[in-house]
Amino acid sequence: MSIKEDDGTVKPYTHAAAGWGALKFVALNLLKERVQGSNYRMLFGQNQPGGFDCPGCAWPDREHASTFEFCENGVKAVAAESTGKRVTPAFFAAHTVTELMDETDYELEQHGRLTDPMVYDAVADRYMPIAWEQAYALVARHLQALPSPDQAAFYTSGRASNEAAFLYQLFVRAYGTNNFPDCSNMCHEATSRGLPQTVGVGKGTVVLEDFEHADTLLIFGQNPATNHPRMLGELRECARRGATIVSINPLRERGLERFTSPQHPVEMLTMSSTPISSMFIQPRLSGDLALIKAMAKRTLELDEEAQAAGAPRVLDADFIGRHTSGFEAFAQDLRNESWGLLVAESGVPREQIEALTQVFVRGRRVICTWGMGLTQHKNSLLTVTMLSNLMMMRGQIGKQGAGLCPVRGHSNVQGNRTVGIEEQPSQAFLDRLQQVFHFDPPRHHGYDVVRTIEAMLAGEVKVFMGLGGNFASATPDTPRTWAGLRQCELTVHLATKLNRSHLVHGKEALLLPVLGRTEIDMQAGRAQGVTVEDSMSMVHISFGMNQPASPNLRSETAIVAGIAHATLGDAPIDWLGHAADYARIRDLIERVFDDFHDYNARVAKPGGFHLKVASREMEWSTASGKAQFLVHPIDRASPLQRARERHGEKLMTLMTTRSHDQYNTTVYGLDDRYRGVFGMRRVVFANADDIAMLGFADGDWVNLVSVWDDGIERRADRFRLVSYDIPRGCMAAYYPETNPLVPLSSYADGAGTPTSKSIPVLLEAA
Ligand SMILES: Nc1nc2c(c(=O)[nH]1)N[C@H]1C(S)=C(S)[C@@H](COP(=O)(O)OP(=O)(O)OC[C@H]3O[C@@H](n4cnc5c(=O)[nH]c(N)nc54)[C@H](O)[C@@H]3O)O[C@H]1N2
Ligand SMILES: Nc1nc2c(c(=O)[nH]1)N[C@H]1C(S)=C(S)[C@@H](COP(=O)(O)OP(=O)(O)OC[C@H]3O[C@@H](n4cnc5c(=O)[nH]c(N)nc54)[C@H](O)[C@@H]3O)O[C@H]1N2
Ligand SMILES: [Mo]
């Protein structure tokens, strides 16, 4: 990949988040994307009754509200999908794959929407047109030729609808494998695997209305101004009601300081804004487990002091007694834990921990939200469950205005898991599939993302299919992932736009263009709706409104059905018949999952329905039948700590994160407005004292080299140092440019999530 972007600028952002900056961006973006004519109107159909679900993020919306909810993120996502630009067969005829590899991710994205199914021709090094039925037959031939179904892996990115995802998992299991790597493996897996151990369900316990009643909100490791702008609208209302909002984040994200609501004309006209966070706690990277444990220890101390003084208890003894198990062992471990270790590992001074705990225990209704800042570390699963412990101490789960609120990324990533995109399916679920569809689903667990890459490298996975996403760029250890993909016999991608994964392909390769969610999906003469589940378990239906980008696009559901039909014939269901009427797929979903009873009827109501989350109702689906306190020691010999011991203060911990102008691997533009970076992406944010200590100056160009112990050199070259408000020893840079630095063998214990936010690195002059 060529390195450009040398003439970017850095200029601190001094305004509130959103406001005019966002509106200006939207106007520019629409022009640039050449969103034409009636498609403008379609922007206002986003998240409206009868409209489509915003593909921007998984934050819920207010009853699919009647006024257009302005959101920069959503507009960007929709504009990107409804661009007037096209990647046609003529485009592919004019460019070899090798030539396209020289373009940046930003440049690839700019070419526009894919229009026709294409197959890779190795002789010409080009993608050539192929008929749909021939493409399906090619996939079927490869799948049928594999000695074992476990030699194929089926990736899912979180935009696929419930209908497409359900049909996909059914096809893959009927074919014979549970190899379902998905974006969730790299995202909220610590949440999805951790929460079941404590509260029984791997989902959040709050709904949007709870934000109206919360008096305290702790925002852990999240940058909502960029990634979930509509969440800021809720936080604004909370702040105006007087709720206390704390940001716990190594970076002091400007977007969490002040916010001008584009929903409120007065704020826009008077250029006023609402302060959001009143407290900023800056732990060091990966320090949250120690920090939250320290908060728990302090909460216990305060309770013991209160009891000694005959004052009201600080712990919710009633909740603990009636609803939980394991508290005594947990409390004993807290008493034994040393303050010194907790302060050192969290990187937060004891006075600040005490002040933060004061805020927490003063809160009568507390919501804790979290994002990737908690989930992409070695200790992520422990961190999430420790947060659950903390909230249980004060009975902050299962009551109005309080609870656990993981904030998911992709708009239907939660729904995908709900309907069966899961490499570790429960036996009960498999039994149910067997009962309903009369086939023997594979019983052994399949590969997640990291295992899939390992298996490709070992020659054990030979066919890769991606239902959306950008596997080659989103995954860790880029050179190894690419080597794995290139070793495959066949790679298949269902996609809206051109991306790196289409260029880093197997010996044979297919590129299958799909309808986006904003587009009208006609099957058998009828417009189809698809359903999605947001981060707060609301399920609703979405109807596209745009004309498709090309007459030769097919829906994800239709393509999955076509491939299933070509591979398996009409077993175990009539694939093509179901794909002709998505309501019939919803009937199947209802037969497999009890919580989806009356699916078609309930989803037809405006706003859809809430899918039951047992923990929200204080039903604990754990082994003990109670919410479980879990004891977690603080690691003293993690790879990060060992690297620090080996290299001393020169060892930096790097987080990889999102700029304002990207959606994961999709790069819309080169600015990161709130962090003051313009026209470039190859930057690394560091503490001014560290920059000086390492012998560099602000603005110097450096190379980053990972410290890992498998003898493989991992490096990412040429990043410009930007002095930033971040704790000593910590740095930040954007993904996916820094993915080559993440070792494949470095992932969260018990969750498998690559440690994208805690990479031990050294710097060298570029
Ligand atoms: N515009 C836009 N919207 C998006 C996306 C996008 O790329 N662009 N992606 C979507 C997806 S898939 C997801 S998962 C979400 C991601 O949304 P976020 O969860 O906000 O993810 P990141 O941007 O990676 O930022 C994580 C935040 O965690 C902080 N952080 C990093 N390490 C630590 C740590 O050790 N401790 C703590 N306390 N904080 C830490 C970082 O400083 C940063 O503010 O957004 C979704 N929405
Ligand atoms: N270093 C590092 N790595 C990370 C992260 C990090 O913070 N740091 N974050 C991780 C996270 S949280 C996530 S979720 C993953 C994201 O991983 P992915 O979900 O695999 O990546 P995306 O960039 O969201 O995928 C974008 C592509 O999806 C396709 N697409 C868009 N819309 C549609 C659609 O409607 N249908 C279909 N079929 N295709 C569509 C387009 O072709 C587009 O190029 O990355 C992970 N990787
Ligand atoms: Mo994500």
Side-chain angles (χ1 to χ4, degrees), residues 141-152 175 459-460 462-463 489:
R141 237 178 8 253
H142 274 273
L143 291 178
Q144 287 159 356
L146 291 179
S148 156
D150 286 333
Q151 293 189 354
Y175 169 65
E460 285 156 12
K462 297 194 162 85
V463 173
E489 296 296 329

Side-chain angles (χ1 to χ4, degrees), residues 40 74 89 118 141 210 220 229 241 324 326 332 383 405 476 501 538 558 607 631 666 714 731:
Y40 272 114
M118 307 296 289
R141 237 178 8 253
D210 287 312
F220 284 90
R241 266 193 301 106
T324 72
Q332 198 47 47
T383 306
C405 182
S501 299
M538 292 297 302
V631 174
T666 300
R714 294 183 178 82
M731 299 196 319

Side-chain angles (χ1 to χ4, degrees), residues 640 644 648-654 686-687 690-691 693-694 707 728-731 759-763:
L640 205 55
R644 225 177 263 143
E649 61 173 9
K650 288 194 163 22
L651 194 279
M652 297 286 132
T653 307
L654 176 74
N687 186 295
D690 283 331
I691 296 178
M693 177 269 296
L694 294 168
V707 176
R728 292 287 311 260
C730 299
M731 299 196 319
I759 316 166
V761 295
L762 296 172
L763 272 59

Side-chain angles (χ1 to χ4, degrees), residues 56-58 73 76 183 186-188 219-229 248-253 256 281 283-288 291 370-377 407-410 413 655-666 668 675 732 735 757-758:
C57 75
N73 204 9
K76 281 173 173 169
C183 69
M186 299 180 275
C187 185
H188 259 293
I219 318 285
F220 284 90
Q222 241 198 297
N223 182 21
T226 287
N227 298 320
H228 304 92
I248 297 116
N249 194 319
L251 287 186
R252 192 175 163 125
E253 300 282 22
L256 278 166
I281 301 289
R284 78 171 181 198
L285 286 168
S286 206
D288 301 83
L291 175 65
W370 69 95
M372 297 301 97
L374 289 202
T375 62
Q376 298 177 331
H377 304 281
V407 181
R408 305 221 179 224
H410 272 302
V413 61
M655 70 154 100
T656 61
T657 187
R658 292 154 172 79
S659 82
H660 192 69
D661 284 356
Q662 74 182 89
Y663 194 92
N664 299 335
T665 68
T666 300
Y668 299 131
R675 299 198 189 105
Y735 114 91
K757 300 253 191 296
S758 43

Side-chain angles (χ1 to χ4, degrees), residues 715-731:
R715 56 187 307 124
D717 287 345
R718 274 186 71 73
F719 289 81
R720 204 169 116 176
L721 276 168
V722 173
S723 155
Y724 209 80
D725 186 353
I726 186 171
R728 292 287 311 260
C730 299
M731 299 196 319

Side-chain angles (χ1 to χ4, degrees), residues 605-661:
K605 297 203 187 104
F609 64 95
H610 184 255
L611 204 57
K612 180 176 172 173
V613 175
S615 48
R616 175 176 166 75
E617 293 166 28
M618 297 213 200
E619 294 167 20
W620 315 106
S621 325
T622 56
S624 63
K626 303 242 173 159
Q628 189 69 42
F629 279 99
L630 296 171
V631 174
H632 297 317
I634 305 292
D635 204 343
R636 289 162 193 264
S638 68
L640 205 55
Q641 287 157 323
R642 291 202 307 271
R644 225 177 263 143
E645 263 160 43
R646 189 142 41 105
H647 296 279
E649 61 173 9
K650 288 194 163 22
L651 194 279
M652 297 286 132
T653 307
L654 176 74
M655 70 154 100
T656 61
T657 187
R658 292 154 172 79
S659 82
H660 192 69
D661 284 356

Side-chain angles (χ1 to χ4, degrees), residues 483-506:
L485 284 166
R486 285 180 168 134
Q487 255 167 258
C488 287
E489 296 296 329
L490 175 72
T491 50
V492 184
H493 291 280
L494 279 64
T496 48
K497 290 181 121 179
L498 189 61
N499 68 41
R500 188 73 48 200
S501 299
H502 312 150
L503 309 177
V504 181
H505 53 75

